[in-house]
Amino acid sequence: MMQAVGHADYYPNGGNNQPGCDKDPISSVLVEGSLYDGGKQFVACNHLRSYSYFTESINSRCPFTGYRCKDFDSFQKGLCTDCSNNNCGQMGLHADLHKPRAGTVNTKFFLDTSANRPFCRYHYKIQVTIGSTSKLWRGKLYASMHGTNGELPDTLLTSSTQYFAAGVSYTFMTTAPHDVGDVDDVVVHWHHESSLLNPFQWNPFGLRSPTLLISKVHIAHASKQSTFCTQGKEGSLASDTTARLYRKC
């Protein structure tokens, strides 16, 4: 049911198809161990996830944080990651710890989960700003980060190949199975992919060296925010090479 009906309504993964619920009948039976349980998962997996999420929330150290937002698309674009002013809540057993503002109803909270247990994830907004003198290049962008409590492994940020233009900031949402704590540094790399329809992007025989200029990277998680800037040639990022940003600005 997508219609908001309570004081606070939580929509994991947008409220429709849940990660891990795309298995075929045979895979479902093999994973669940019986024909009955496998058939039940295959037919009603999306609905059954509701009690799986709630059960995990009882003893989970991960808080199942939901972010107040008008819709899932806006959440995925990183427009709703600020937890100040009671803009975040906890899905599951502890939902009553974060009550909506007095007089408000039908407040929508969105979050992502993993495909398998443990389902709870920590959300991070990563905003990458391209330098003002960078050339227009097309490719895929990756990032990892290290913090006081752990790290986020190398993660593909772009959902598909895209162009990166000078002076533009690109925002991505990603998740980690644990809270990495205060972020100490960010490692960025990218892979150039030319377009058959744009000969200016071609790189015959590898004679060109497509290079992105990274100006800064901004990380936001709940109420924590960090921005890392580059100096000199630190942000000059040739295709398939890495740049480590550790200087906060």
Side-chain angles (χ1 to χ4, degrees):
M1 182 172 64
M2 296 301 296
Q3 181 181 357
V5 295
H7 287 86
D9 293 84
Y10 289 84
Y11 297 85
N13 309 296
N16 288 312
N17 298 324
Q18 301 300 301
C21 285
D22 54 354
K23 296 182 178 68
D24 58 73
I26 296 178
S27 298
S28 298
V29 171
L30 292 175
V31 170
E32 297 301 323
S34 72
L35 182 62
Y36 172 76
D37 290 333
K40 183 172 64 174
Q41 280 292 330
F42 175 71
V43 173
C45 178
N46 291 305
H47 297 284
L48 295 174
R49 282 296 166 87
S50 59
Y51 75 76
S52 296
Y53 295 155
F54 186 88
T55 301
E56 183 177 313
S57 75
I58 296 174
N59 294 314
S60 174
R61 296 181 63 182
C62 181
F64 276 99
T65 301
Y67 296 81
R68 183 179 182 179
C69 211
K70 66 176 183 178
D71 53 48
F72 190 53
D73 184 59
S74 298
F75 168 72
Q76 289 184 307
K77 291 179 179 178
L79 302 178
C80 313
T81 56
D82 184 5
C83 282
S84 61
N85 298 319
N86 209 27
N87 281 326
C88 291
Q90 287 185 243
M91 183 180 74
L93 179 66
H94 307 292
D96 61 329
L97 298 178
H98 300 269
K99 297 180 181 179
R101 301 165 187 165
T104 60
V105 294
N106 303 151
T107 304
K108 295 182 177 182
F109 294 91
F110 296 89
L111 66 155
D112 288 319
T113 70
S114 66
N116 304 294
R117 293 183 177 87
F119 295 111
C120 186
R121 307 286 289 185
Y122 291 86
H123 299 79
Y124 291 88
K125 180 175 78 171
I126 301 179
Q127 186 178 70
V128 180
T129 301
I130 307 300
S132 59
T133 59
S134 183
K135 293 183 179 180
L136 179 69
W137 291 113
R138 181 177 183 268
K140 295 180 179 179
L141 190 64
Y142 302 77
S144 62
M145 57 186 175
H146 303 84
T148 53
N149 295 335
E151 65 177 15
L152 173 70
D154 193 39
T155 302
L156 175 64
L157 299 180
T158 48
S159 57
S160 60
T161 303
Q162 69 175 66
Y163 283 98
F164 296 97
V168 178
S169 295
Y170 297 90
T171 301
F172 310 95
M173 289 293 295
T174 189
T175 64
H178 55 269
D179 182 359
V180 303
D182 295 327
V183 181
D184 294 321
D185 63 67
V186 181
V187 177
V188 182
H189 71 98
W190 77 294
H191 175 70
H192 171 257
E193 292 188 9
S194 59
S195 171
L196 293 176
L197 301 178
N198 186 354
F200 295 102
Q201 290 286 315
W202 294 354
N203 188 20
F205 309 109
L207 298 177
R208 305 172 70 182
S209 180
T211 301
L212 275 182
L213 298 179
I214 306 297
S215 172
K216 61 182 178 181
V217 177
H218 179 75
I219 308 292
H221 164 61
S223 58
K224 299 179 181 179
Q225 300 194 42
S226 300
T227 303
F228 298 85
C229 293
T230 60
Q231 287 186 358
K233 296 183 179 180
E234 288 178 346
S236 182
L237 193 59
S239 179
D240 297 320
T241 63
T242 61
R244 176 174 172 261
L245 285 69
Y246 58 89
R247 186 179 293 104
K248 293 186 178 181
C249 54

